[in-house]
Amino acid sequence: MKTTIITIVVLIILAVGGYFIFRGPNLDNVTPATGNNPAPTGQTQTTPATTTTQDKTQTVIGTSENGTEIVAYHYGTGEKNVLFVGGIHGGYEWNTALVAYELMDHLQANPTTIPENVSVTVIPVLNPDGLEKVTGKVGRFTAADVSKNSTTLISGRFNANNVDLNRNFDCDWKKDGVWQNRTVSGGSEPFSEAESSALKAYIENNKPAGAVVWYSAAGGVYASSCHNGVSPATLDLTKAFATASKYPAHEQFNFYEITGDAVNWLAKLNIPAISVLLTNHTDTEWTKNLAGVKAVLNYFAK
């Protein structure tokens, strides 16, 4: 009898022990691992989902016909955003991209240039494929990288589809545009090109308070309009940049017929916009343009 009782007790002990061994730990009472608290041994720690913070200093607004990113760079935090665009004619007007890069460097080093209630967006190169034809580079370059071959320089005015982007916007668009004394392609329809379409989307989504687009070479500041007259704000903007920079001011560009022009399309959207034409195809005339930029920013700060 005694032996039987002992045997039963041993069996009970073994049964209870086996239950806890094979059941495992009670996870209901385990504190989840968080922060610097490591997960208990034997547990797999689950990393919580994280949200990637968008880089607010730049935006890829689209890609060129050859797939190169077109980037907009942002400075300041004010509500009134002023847009500056270079390189619409790519490698033919490569100095317009350089002056935009100089503006970016200046704003990075001198953020107080921007008034408190103003912000700045710079798109230094709208036509990266055309620029690459002439410099052999994607992105930043120096004057030393620029080809001296005149045929190459002219080809750099156009995008990869041989379209003049400044004839591809929706103001008086024509399939066959004019540049000086030659016919150039305006694309198959307004915004048929990836580059102009990217700028269109960016403008419509962000609605800048005003815009300055650099070209070369005539040495002047030109107002914009699209059969709606030059707006008072555009006239003020033209005068502000011209007076500070010492470039002559003009209400219209009338050297030859202009169709599908980017700045005139901006006027169609009632966005004050001006064309700033550098004096030649090689110099950025930085001192003059910095003075003009400051005057424009102060104008929008009012």
Side-chain angles (χ1 to χ4, degrees):
M1 182 67 179
K2 184 176 181 181
T3 302
T4 301
I5 293 174
I6 293 173
T7 300
I8 292 172
V9 170
V10 170
L11 290 173
I12 292 173
I13 293 172
L14 291 174
V16 172
Y19 171 79
F20 285 105
I21 290 172
F22 290 105
R23 179 178 182 270
N26 183 0
L27 298 181
D28 293 336
N29 296 322
V30 176
T31 303
T34 59
N36 295 323
N37 184 23
T41 303
Q43 279 187 252
T44 301
Q45 183 173 355
T46 302
T47 304
T50 58
T51 301
T52 302
T53 303
Q54 184 178 4
D55 184 355
K56 295 183 179 180
T57 65
Q58 62 186 62
T59 303
V60 176
I61 69 169
T63 59
S64 69
E65 289 290 339
N66 278 347
T68 299
E69 290 183 344
I70 301 170
V71 184
Y73 298 86
H74 311 293
Y75 305 87
T77 58
E79 182 178 351
K80 295 180 182 179
N81 183 252
V82 185
L83 174 66
F84 294 85
V85 181
I88 194 169
H89 282 144
Y92 181 70
E93 296 180 358
W94 55 267
N95 57 339
T96 68
L98 278 189
V99 74
Y101 281 128
E102 287 184 337
L103 175 58
M104 290 165 52
D105 291 341
H106 177 83
L107 296 178
Q108 185 69 36
N110 305 276
T112 56
T113 300
I114 306 173
E116 187 174 341
N117 61 333
V118 175
S119 59
V120 171
T121 295
V122 182
I123 301 174
V125 185
L126 188 65
N127 183 5
D129 296 346
L131 187 62
E132 187 181 2
K133 293 178 189 178
V134 171
T135 65
K137 290 188 173 182
V138 175
R140 296 201 70 154
F141 65 99
T142 68
D145 298 316
V146 176
S147 170
K148 303 302 186 290
N149 183 287
S150 60
T151 302
T152 303
L153 285 167
I154 291 173
S155 71
R157 177 183 175 93
F158 312 106
N159 76 346
N161 293 334
N162 205 34
V163 171
D164 186 325
L165 294 180
N166 207 48
R167 303 292 182 270
N168 192 234
F169 289 80
D170 189 19
C171 176
D172 294 328
W173 175 85
K174 291 182 180 181
K175 184 176 181 180
D176 294 323
V178 176
W179 169 45
Q180 297 178 355
N181 61 350
R182 68 183 73 189
T183 299
V184 295
S185 173
S188 59
E189 61 183 357
F191 306 110
S192 62
E193 306 309 293
E195 299 89 349
S196 55
S197 180
L199 184 61
K200 175 181 184 289
Y202 183 81
I203 293 288
E204 291 177 344
N205 288 333
N206 294 277
K207 299 178 176 59
V212 175
V213 181
W214 277 295
Y215 301 93
S216 60
V221 182
Y222 294 81
S224 61
S225 66
C226 189
H227 304 293
N228 52 356
V230 180
S231 71
T234 297
L235 285 175
D236 289 343
L237 197 59
T238 304
K239 181 179 179 181
F241 198 108
T243 300
S245 66
K246 309 301 182 186
Y247 285 124
H250 305 274
E251 288 196 20
Q252 61 178 333
F253 183 93
N254 56 8
F255 293 97
Y256 46 87
E257 182 187 22
I258 295 295
T259 58
D261 179 80
V263 177
N264 288 340
W265 169 71
L266 288 167
K268 186 177 180 179
L269 300 182
N270 295 316
I271 296 174
I274 58 175
S275 300
V276 177
L277 275 66
L278 306 177
T279 305
N280 55 47
H281 289 308
T282 57
D283 299 321
T284 61
E285 300 174 308
W286 172 239
T287 302
K288 293 166 68 74
N289 279 279
L290 177 59
V293 167
K294 288 181 176 179
V296 165
L297 299 183
N298 288 332
Y299 167 78
F300 282 107
K302 297 176 183 177

